[in-house]
Each structure stands twice: as C-alpha cells, then as structure tokens.
Amino acid sequence: MVAEKVILVTGGTRGIGRAIALAMASEGRAVLITHQNPASPVAAETVDLLRAKGAEAEALLWPVEDGALATAKTAEIVKKYGRLDVLVNNAGVTRDNISLRLSDEDFDRVLRVNLFGAFAMARAAAKPMLKARAGRIINMTSVVAFTGNPGQANYAASKGAIVSLTKTLALEYASRGITVNAVAPGFVNTDLTASLPEAAVEAFRGRIPLGRLGEPGDVAAAVAFLASDEAAYITGQTIHVNGGLYM
C-alpha cells in the first residue's frame, strides 16, 4: 500500500502537533503521529479526526529519544507505506526551574528529548529520503531560542541547538533534494497556556505587537507550507510565527 505522501509528526496528539497533523491531512495522504502515553485517549481521538479528513492515520507509541527505535520504526513505516516524504519534529518536553535550582536530570531530560530526539528522528528519516532524492524535514524550535526565558535554561538551550542542527542537516542533505527548515512559535494557545493565571497570559499578550496569542493553526500553516512543493527552494531557514514578539 503506497500513499501519495506519507507524513510523520512526532508529538502529534494535541495542541500544535495535532494542528500540524490535521493541516497535513488530505485525500491520498497518510499521516502518522507519535505519542508516549498509552493510557491517554487523545491519540485515538486525533486518529479519528485525521481519518475524517480522508487520510490514512496511525498513532504510534514511540519515545523519540530512543535512537535505535527511531531507525527500526522508520524502516517499518517505509516497508508498510513504501515511502516517507515529510518528518515534522514536534515532540518536546519542559522541566522548568531557575538555573540555580535546575537539576542535572532535568537538564539532561529536556536536551535528550528535544534535541537528541529531533536528531535521531531526522537521521532515521533521511535514509529513505536520500534514496528517493526528495523529502522535507521540519524541526520545531521556539521564540525562546532567540530571546531566552528565565526558568528555561534547558528548554531554551535545546531549542537554540535545533536551529544549528537545522542548518547543518540542510547543508548535508540539499544535494539529494531534501530540505530542512525550522519553525519557531511564540506564545500559543495550548493546554500549557490555558493552565497559566490570567495575569500571566495578559502579560504575554501585552508583549506581542499583534495583540493576541497565537493559535495552533497559525503554526500549522507555516509547517504545511514548508512541507509543500511551493517551498522547494527554501532550506536551512527558521520561520518565526510569533505575532511580532521577536523580529
């Protein structure tokens, strides 16, 4: 069974990841999402939403920071669907604390998932893409990679490194028709921001020139563009989706 395009979105069960997966779903495409919580119903819910849009869809229990698993599962995808066209590295974690109180374990965990996970997934996805001489890899970074953010030394470091990783992979893969780009969201309405005190949300909003928080769909639209044929001459770039918060 070979789909028109096969798209893999890590951390694709909720928020920005779900919006990206849904934006990629259209007739004749397969959209696969990864998650790490077998007890959560949101993975199945997302699969139903993708199928309702006409896409073949699967939710894969997959810790992205496991490099060997990335290689094995990517090979399984290619064996089943015949190809892998787009990888969106969206999976990520936070372990926030001011630097003086940030534990070694929490620092390592964030870099392992956010940075090594993206590297491991890109390395695995590049193999079939190099063979096909085509592909799109899109890495999710963050506005805090460029501005910093108190209490997020580990997260900001991981997302800053994603920008450098993106540039390097873009140079390595360009001759085979593979583009590698990054998208840097600002403050976006997700489960995380919904849990913040209203005063904190208002403070964030006051810093944004466009006067509102972003929506997951704002970010998904940028990712979908970078995955499209129209973006074939764009590589090694970071697209900022932040309402003017960082220019």
Side-chain angles (χ1 to χ4, degrees):
M1 175 172 55
V2 178
E4 177 189 345
K5 275 191 178 181
V6 178
I7 298 156
L8 177 59
V9 181
T10 68
T13 62
R14 63 174 72 232
I16 291 173
R18 176 184 277 190
I20 290 169
L22 292 173
M24 303 290 239
S26 65
E27 194 66 33
R29 291 188 175 186
V31 182
L32 316 175
I33 58 174
T34 76
H35 67 110
Q36 293 198 47
N37 186 357
S40 174
V42 295
E45 291 170 2
T46 305
V47 167
D48 289 343
L49 291 170
L50 290 167
R51 289 174 178 168
K53 283 181 166 286
E56 296 181 61
E58 290 185 59
L60 307 171
L61 193 61
W62 186 340
V64 297
E65 67 274 19
D66 186 329
L69 190 64
T71 299
K73 281 193 169 288
T74 300
E76 290 175 8
I77 289 170
V78 175
K79 182 177 181 180
K80 180 173 183 178
Y81 292 96
R83 59 199 291 172
L84 177 59
D85 299 277
V86 180
L87 167 67
V88 182
N89 273 317
N90 174 72
V93 297
T94 57
R95 297 288 189 274
D96 295 350
N97 213 330
I98 61 170
S99 58
L100 290 174
R101 297 177 183 170
L102 188 60
S103 70
D104 293 355
E105 293 76 16
D106 284 347
F107 192 93
D108 291 345
R109 175 63 179 165
V110 169
L111 264 69
R112 182 73 184 177
V113 175
N114 297 3
L115 178 56
F116 179 77
F119 166 75
M121 293 296 301
R123 180 178 60 187
K127 294 176 182 178
M129 291 179 182
L130 289 167
K131 186 175 181 180
R133 302 186 72 86
R136 301 280 187 270
I137 298 173
I138 302 156
N139 299 320
M140 302 304 296
T141 178
S142 169
V143 67
V144 304
F146 301 87
T147 64
N149 198 36
Q152 288 195 313
N154 50 359
Y155 185 77
S158 72
K159 292 302 186 179
I162 286 289
V163 176
S164 297
L165 176 66
T166 296
K167 292 176 181 291
T168 299
L169 296 183
L171 289 169
E172 291 183 353
Y173 301 155
S175 65
R176 297 297 186 93
I178 301 168
T179 66
V180 188
N181 291 289
V183 173
F187 294 114
V188 177
N189 273 320
T190 62
D191 291 345
L192 177 62
T193 52
S195 68
L196 294 173
E198 182 61 28
V201 175
E202 285 302 316
F204 289 146
R205 187 179 289 115
R207 295 167 55 191
I208 300 170
L210 284 181
R212 68 172 178 88
L213 271 64
E215 297 297 333
D218 295 324
V219 182
V223 174
F225 169 68
L226 290 173
S228 71
D229 293 340
E230 286 77 11
Y233 200 57
I234 300 172
T235 196
Q237 305 304 307
T238 298
I239 305 299
H240 294 270
V241 184
N242 59 39
L245 177 62
Y246 173 84
M247 299 184 186

